Amino acid sequence: MSIFDLFRVKKIKAELESVRNNYENLKLIMTPEHQEAFDLTTEIAKLSQKKDSLLSEIQKNNEQLDILNSQYEIKSKELLDLDEQISLESFALYEPKFEFANSTIFKQNLDNLRDEQKSMIKAGTACKGNQNWTVNNSKAEGRKMVNDMIKLSLRSFNNECDVCIANVKFNNISTYEKRINKSYEALNKLGKVTQVNITEEYLKLKLTELYLAYEYSVKKQEEKEEQRQIREQMREEARLQREIDEARKTIEKEKRHYTNALEKAMKQLDQCKSDEERLLLQEKIAELQNNLQEIEISLKDVDYREANQRAGYVYVISNIGSFGEGVFKIGMTRRLDPYDRVYELGDASVPFNFDVHAMIFSDDAPTLEATLHRTFEKKRLNFVNKRREYFNVSIDEIEQVIKNNHDKSIEFIRTAAAEEYRESILLRKQEDILSNNESLISWQEVAASKN
């Protein structure tokens, strides 16, 4: 330690000693009131410091609480998603309890059922209680208490049932059935002391309403699907009629053209001056007559297609990029050009176009289609909606059924071209190779920079 440091230490000690002496002298001259004020000031300073420390701690706790709340929301959402997933994976098949023809009858029965529930509530048969209770030695107050308990029980039970009925789906109907039963049991347990209980008859009506509401929604969806199919069929028939009208107009125009040309050629034949010229005209006349015969055949075909409502094409198509190998759509169209229908099916709703494996014209296309669907019924992809005409079968099985039920030879394309799908796979592989090469080059550059 230097002399300067020793001098500085001594000076500080002297100043501290002076402050201490001044403090002691001050205490000697301070009155009790001054001393009390001084102690209070000292205590306030300490409390102020403690307050600041507590505020800081509260701020930290609030920040931590915000973090925990955020984590809780995330975990709650994950839990709800997990519950939904479990519900989807574990639901049981529902056995329909009603066989009403349409949704209107379901709606009428629902309305009647709800009216019956209202009647039971008004008649006091939905929930019952002991009316002989006394409160403050008053039977009137006792009855009021019991009736209030009845209203409360019914309101709670109805609210619980309404939530279940409003949200019932294929995967939760069993859960909601149990939930209604548990609510019934819990409310009756709470009302045991006052002998307030919801009746079994009212419970059965609520469960029946749950089943009716579910089957009503299913029937409405089925009818929507049927209406969509009917509209699609009407559009298909309208397109067919337009095609027939346009085809007939085109054919008749060609017929007039060739007829006029034939009449002109026949007149020229009478005016021929040489055998060579006559021979050329006779050849032209023969060609025109052949063309007219073909036009007549085409015109008869158009007339036949317009008159015969069951004539059409049964198609067998696949889309391995969308549905995988071994899945075929077997459908029917009455369009003059059946490939138009195939192009429509390969619109933006699927990632790739369909490939045609067979296109079979039949005088009774609906019967041939129905035979194929019936034969492969157990190999459907969708067992619920029979309008989804996709089957997991082999092309050999389809060919055999068609040969057994169709008297004309059919050309089958066994391997799907799936051009866009196969090119997409190659392009994806090329992209992966380029990406890997870029990653390798980037890694090498990093390694080189470190060296």
Side-chain angles (χ1 to χ4, degrees):
M1 184 179 293
S2 64
I3 295 174
F4 178 77
D5 291 335
L6 288 171
F7 179 76
R8 188 178 178 186
V9 170
K10 286 181 179 180
K11 185 178 178 181
I12 291 171
K13 285 182 177 180
E15 288 176 353
L16 286 171
E17 186 65 27
S18 175
V19 169
R20 190 179 294 111
N21 291 333
N22 289 335
Y23 175 70
E24 293 296 331
N25 292 331
L26 185 64
K27 284 176 68 177
L28 291 173
I29 63 174
M30 284 174 65
T31 65
E33 290 81 6
H34 288 152
Q35 182 65 43
E36 185 177 356
F38 179 79
D39 291 341
L40 285 170
T41 303
T42 304
E43 185 65 23
I44 288 170
K46 289 180 181 179
L47 289 172
S48 178
Q49 289 179 352
K50 189 173 182 181
K51 177 188 128 181
D52 292 339
S53 175
L54 288 172
L55 287 173
S56 176
E57 187 175 352
I58 289 170
Q59 179 66 24
K60 289 180 181 179
N61 288 337
N62 284 334
E63 291 174 357
Q64 187 65 26
L65 182 62
D66 290 339
I67 294 171
L68 290 172
N69 283 333
S70 177
Q71 291 176 349
Y72 171 76
E73 289 178 4
I74 293 170
K75 295 295 182 184
S76 295
K77 185 177 183 304
E78 290 175 353
L79 184 61
L80 288 173
D81 292 342
L82 181 60
D83 286 344
E84 182 71 14
Q85 183 65 27
I86 291 171
S87 178
L88 286 169
E89 291 175 355
S90 61
F91 78 94
L93 285 174
Y94 174 78
E95 292 293 334
K97 296 173 174 54
F98 309 96
E99 295 182 355
F100 301 140
N102 54 58
S103 60
T104 303
I105 301 176
F106 273 101
K107 182 69 168 60
Q108 290 172 352
N109 277 269
L110 265 175
D111 292 340
N112 293 339
L113 188 69
R114 287 162 181 163
D115 288 341
E116 189 176 350
Q117 292 172 22
K118 291 175 185 177
S119 298
M120 285 189 69
I121 293 172
K122 288 180 181 178
T125 56
C127 185
K128 297 179 179 179
N130 185 358
Q131 298 292 334
N132 295 321
W133 274 84
T134 58
V135 174
N136 296 327
N137 293 323
S138 171
K139 285 190 175 183
E141 289 187 22
R143 283 194 300 271
K144 183 178 182 304
M145 181 195 72
V146 171
N147 289 333
D148 288 343
M149 186 66 180
I150 288 172
K151 290 178 182 177
L152 183 61
S153 295
L154 279 175
R155 183 176 297 172
S156 299
F157 185 62
N158 286 337
N159 287 340
E160 185 74 12
C161 292
D162 289 345
V163 170
C164 294
I165 290 165
N167 296 285
V168 65
K169 295 187 292 186
F170 74 97
N171 62 316
N172 62 18
I173 186 166
S174 177
T175 301
Y176 282 162
E177 181 183 7
K178 293 175 183 175
R179 185 168 161 180
I180 289 173
N181 279 312
K182 284 184 179 179
S183 175
Y184 167 80
E185 292 169 2
L187 288 168
N188 282 354
K189 188 175 181 181
L190 286 172
K192 190 173 182 179
V193 174
T194 53
Q195 297 177 353
V196 171
N197 66 290
I198 300 165
T199 62
E200 286 189 16
E201 185 181 358
Y202 191 71
L203 168 66
K204 289 177 181 177
L205 288 181
K206 281 298 182 183
L207 289 173
T208 303
E209 184 182 0
L210 178 73
Y211 307 140
L212 260 174
Y214 171 67
E215 294 190 32
Y216 173 50
S217 66
V218 171
K219 179 59 72 173
K220 281 201 302 182
Q221 188 59 39
E222 287 177 358
E223 289 176 348
K224 283 182 182 178
E225 185 70 16
E226 288 173 1
Q227 290 299 317
R228 188 189 69 78
Q229 288 291 115
I230 291 169
R231 289 194 298 270
E232 177 61 28
Q233 185 177 348
M234 291 173 66
R235 287 194 293 267
E236 184 85 355
E237 290 174 355
R239 281 192 290 261
L240 173 63
Q241 190 59 51
R242 286 196 300 270
E243 289 176 3
I244 288 173
D245 292 341
E246 290 173 4
R248 181 179 285 109
K249 185 177 178 181
T250 301
I251 292 169
E252 288 176 348
K253 183 178 179 181
E254 289 181 353
K255 182 180 178 180
R256 287 193 300 270
H257 170 73
Y258 285 116
T259 300
N260 292 335
L262 181 60
E263 289 176 356
K264 186 177 179 180
M266 293 295 289
K267 289 179 182 179
Q268 289 175 348
L269 185 64
D270 295 336
Q271 299 172 1
C272 286
K273 296 179 181 179
S274 65
D275 292 340
E276 185 180 351
E277 186 179 356
R278 181 179 294 276
L279 184 61
L280 288 173
L281 273 172
Q282 286 175 344
E283 289 177 357
K284 184 178 180 180
I285 288 169
E287 183 181 350
L288 290 170
Q289 288 173 338
N290 287 334
N291 289 335
L292 281 170
Q293 286 177 0
E294 290 176 1
I295 287 172
E296 287 295 337
I297 293 171
S298 299
L299 195 56
K300 287 179 180 178
D301 287 342
V302 170
D303 292 338
Y304 171 76
R305 291 295 303 279
E306 185 175 25
N308 189 349
Q309 297 293 317
R310 300 189 68 81
Y313 292 87
V314 173
Y315 55 80
V316 179
I317 59 178
S318 71
N319 194 324
I320 61 174
S322 303
F323 309 112
E325 298 276 2
V327 175
F328 296 92
K329 178 174 173 61
I330 303 172
M332 184 207 77
T333 180
R334 293 188 63 239
R335 304 278 284 276
L336 293 181
D337 185 353
Y339 289 91
D340 287 345
R341 177 58 179 159
V342 177
Y343 298 147
E344 287 174 2
L345 290 170
D347 62 6
S349 60
V350 289
F352 302 101
N353 293 328
F354 281 88
D355 289 287
V356 178
H357 293 268
M359 189 67 71
I360 309 112
F361 179 79
S362 173
D363 295 326
D364 192 358
T367 298
L368 178 59
E369 180 196 37
T371 300
L372 285 161
H373 289 180
R374 188 168 54 253
T375 304
F376 302 128
E377 181 66 28
K378 294 182 179 179
K379 297 190 176 183
R380 282 183 177 273
L381 265 64
N382 190 334
F383 272 80
V384 178
N385 190 341
K386 300 300 177 69
R387 299 177 189 87
R388 308 294 183 180
E389 305 162 330
Y390 291 91
F391 303 86
N392 196 347
V393 292
S394 69
I395 197 70
D396 292 333
E397 292 175 290
I398 297 173
E399 184 177 12
Q400 188 60 49
V401 175
I402 291 174
K403 284 181 178 179
N404 293 339
N405 293 275
H406 194 66
D407 57 356
K408 297 176 184 177
S409 60
I410 303 298
E411 181 182 352
F412 275 84
I413 300 172
R414 315 195 76 76
T415 303
E419 183 177 347
E420 290 182 351
Y421 169 65
R422 300 186 197 281
E423 286 184 3
S424 296
I425 291 176
L426 288 175
L427 289 172
R428 190 178 294 111
K429 287 180 179 178
Q430 290 177 5
E431 187 66 29
D432 291 342
I433 292 170
L434 287 173
S435 179
N436 290 335
N437 288 340
E438 287 174 0
S439 299
L440 180 60
I441 291 169
S442 177
W443 179 83
Q444 289 173 342
E445 288 174 351
V446 172
S449 66
K450 287 183 178 180
N451 294 331

